[in-house]
Amino acid sequence: MIDVQRGGISVWLASSIIILSTGILSHVMALPVILNIAGRDSWVSVIIAAPIYLIWIFIFIKLVHGLNKISLMEWIEQHWGKWMGWLMKIVFCGALFFNSFYTMIDTVMWTNSTYLQQTPIFVIMLCFVLVCFFMAFSGLQSIAIVASILLPLVSFLGYFISFSNMKFKDYSLLFPIFDQGLQPPIHGSFYVLSSLFDVWIYILFAHHVKKKIKPWQLFLFGLFMLMIAMGPIIGGITEFGPEEAMKQRHTAYDQWKILSLGQLLQHTDFLSIYQWLSGSITRSAISLYLMVDIFQFKTNKQRYIVMTLLKVLMIGLLFLPWRSEMMLYILQSFYFPALFGFVIVLCLAIGITQWIVNRKESMENDIES
């Protein structure tokens, strides 16, 4: 395997992958769902979700460290059996396939409807697929290095748009809170958590990370992810108003449309293209890589064939009559509830198994002593 020959990756490189991959989901794709459910109180939903997320992420990393640098699939086969191992491989592969496919179709449709309207959609799709394919085939280290190079500018542009649009913001539009009752923001917090739970993919490549994540690093990471979710929600509401923000399909992108720096620098929304593509390409590439990695193919030829077949299948599915409303409905009604339940069940199953194994080992040690 390429990654075994090249060695592991650092915590920073692993974090770069997760921030870009999960960031595009919570920062862009989940926004219309959250705003549609919670409206003006969407930012309150993030506050409600914050303590739950920070507690969960510490529990999650403790479970990851409990694997003792063994790949999750090997650990599952050791403790749950080979049949359950194959079942989990299929489940993981299905989740990762949807991650990669939905990211690809959302990016292609957005590209075709905004800045490449005269370009055939197949050309856009092919370019995106090829970039993701070669990133994934190059291995985890290549994905991580590219992500770490892209992330600093992505983060800078996020703060740049936030502060540059201050003149358009009216923070009184954030209030009153709970004007529709407690139910909308609480319901919205479920979708905030679901989008942030996407960091679960870290457990699939954690055995390639050289060092354990320290508590202070994890806390800062959690706060940063919450800021990624909060920023465009507050920006959309304060710049456009809650009613208009709820109607927008890509609120984070629309905030770039109104930015102007004097009379000489206007129409800076091209900068958002860099942000969007950085996240979507990283997300699609790491999902494709992990789909192949969990099956532990022995040769690069096998990896190449499987990745090619997966991408051909995605291209074929792209020709179905997808509509924006349909995609949002799939996210809200199926994907986010399924993701939330999947992550909770996975964590409970791993946690209970680790507790039983540790308990058994402790009892055996007591008997021997």
Side-chain angles (χ1 to χ4, degrees):
M1 295 290 288
I2 291 178
D3 298 293
V4 173
Q5 294 173 355
R6 294 182 181 176
I9 61 175
S10 66
V11 171
W12 160 247
L13 294 179
S15 299
S16 299
I17 295 175
I18 297 298
I19 290 172
L20 284 179
S21 176
T22 302
I24 191 67
L25 180 65
S26 61
H27 189 81
V28 176
M29 299 178 184
L31 284 193
V33 175
I34 299 170
L35 286 166
N36 182 58
I37 290 173
R40 189 197 306 274
D41 290 335
S42 295
W43 66 280
V44 181
S45 296
V46 181
I47 295 177
I48 295 173
I52 302 173
Y53 180 69
L54 290 175
I55 293 172
W56 173 81
I57 203 170
F58 274 92
I59 296 173
F60 174 72
I61 291 299
K62 183 175 178 61
L63 296 178
V64 172
H65 291 167
L67 300 178
N68 297 320
K69 289 294 181 180
I70 301 175
S71 74
L72 178 63
M73 301 318 306
E74 292 179 9
W75 185 89
I76 289 176
E77 289 182 356
Q78 288 179 9
H79 299 288
W80 297 355
K82 290 188 176 181
W83 284 103
M84 184 58 70
W86 273 99
L87 177 61
M88 293 306 299
K89 286 179 181 180
I90 294 172
V91 172
F92 290 145
C93 190
L96 293 168
F97 183 88
F98 183 86
N99 283 355
S100 183
F101 174 71
Y102 188 92
T103 303
M104 182 167 59
I105 189 173
D106 195 42
T107 302
V108 169
M109 291 178 64
W110 171 73
T111 300
N112 186 248
S113 64
T114 52
Y115 60 93
L116 289 180
Q117 297 177 356
Q118 303 301 318
T119 304
I121 195 168
F122 179 77
V123 175
I124 302 173
M125 177 174 55
L126 187 62
C127 292
F128 185 87
V129 166
L130 289 175
V131 172
C132 296
F133 177 88
F134 285 113
M135 275 187 66
F137 186 74
S138 298
L140 182 63
Q141 266 201 345
S142 297
I143 298 173
I145 291 172
V146 171
S148 67
I149 295 173
L150 296 174
L151 180 60
L153 184 54
V154 170
S155 300
F156 169 78
L157 290 176
Y159 289 107
F160 172 74
I161 184 63
S162 177
F163 288 108
S164 298
N165 276 352
M166 289 295 292
K167 57 186 177 183
F168 301 116
K169 294 182 179 181
D170 181 2
Y171 285 94
S172 66
L173 294 173
L174 297 174
F175 302 96
I177 61 174
F178 305 130
D179 57 334
Q180 300 296 323
L182 292 173
Q183 194 271 337
I186 292 176
H187 191 193
S189 67
F190 167 81
Y191 289 93
V192 173
L193 285 172
S194 296
S195 64
L196 293 173
F197 276 0
D198 191 67
V199 301
W200 75 271
I201 65 171
Y202 174 73
I203 200 171
L204 296 179
F205 65 89
H207 56 288
H208 290 299
V209 181
K210 296 177 181 178
K211 297 182 180 179
K212 293 182 178 181
I213 299 178
K214 298 178 181 178
W216 67 269
Q217 294 174 323
L218 186 61
F219 182 72
L220 291 178
F221 172 83
L223 289 180
F224 188 72
M225 295 306 298
L226 290 166
M227 289 173 57
I228 289 175
M230 177 74 86
I233 290 176
I234 291 181
I237 294 173
T238 56
E239 291 171 29
F240 304 108
E243 291 79 13
E244 181 61 29
M246 290 170 63
K247 298 176 184 178
Q248 294 173 339
R249 178 65 178 85
H250 300 120
T251 306
Y253 171 71
D254 291 332
Q255 293 173 37
W256 282 94
K257 291 183 178 180
I258 64 175
L259 174 64
S260 62
L261 302 176
Q263 296 181 347
L264 299 179
L265 184 57
Q266 300 183 11
H267 302 293
T268 57
D269 47 314
F270 67 92
L271 294 172
S272 67
I273 298 172
Y274 174 86
Q275 283 186 302
W276 189 307
L277 292 182
S278 296
S280 60
I281 289 174
T282 301
R283 180 175 176 80
S284 187
I286 188 62
S287 297
L288 181 61
Y289 165 81
L290 291 174
M291 275 188 280
V292 176
D293 186 63
I294 60 177
F295 284 98
Q296 293 293 306
F297 292 105
K298 301 300 182 182
T299 65
N300 284 338
K301 182 178 180 180
Q302 292 175 329
R303 290 157 56 89
Y304 182 86
I305 293 173
V306 174
M307 285 186 181
T308 301
L309 291 176
L310 288 170
K311 278 304 181 184
V312 169
L313 177 58
M314 291 181 191
I315 291 174
L317 291 174
L318 277 170
F319 286 101
L320 294 176
W322 299 100
R323 300 191 311 275
S324 181
E325 297 79 8
M326 180 193 303
M327 294 168 62
L328 285 178
Y329 177 76
I330 292 173
L331 274 187
Q332 181 173 334
S333 301
F334 297 101
Y335 177 69
F336 282 134
L339 176 61
F340 186 90
F342 167 75
V343 171
I344 295 299
V345 171
L346 179 64
C347 290
L348 283 174
I350 293 175
I352 292 172
T353 303
Q354 288 180 351
W355 181 82
I356 293 173
V357 171
N358 293 335
R359 180 77 172 175
K360 184 178 179 180
E361 291 178 352
S362 178
M363 292 176 64
E364 291 175 351
N365 292 334
D366 291 340
I367 294 173
E368 291 176 359
S369 61

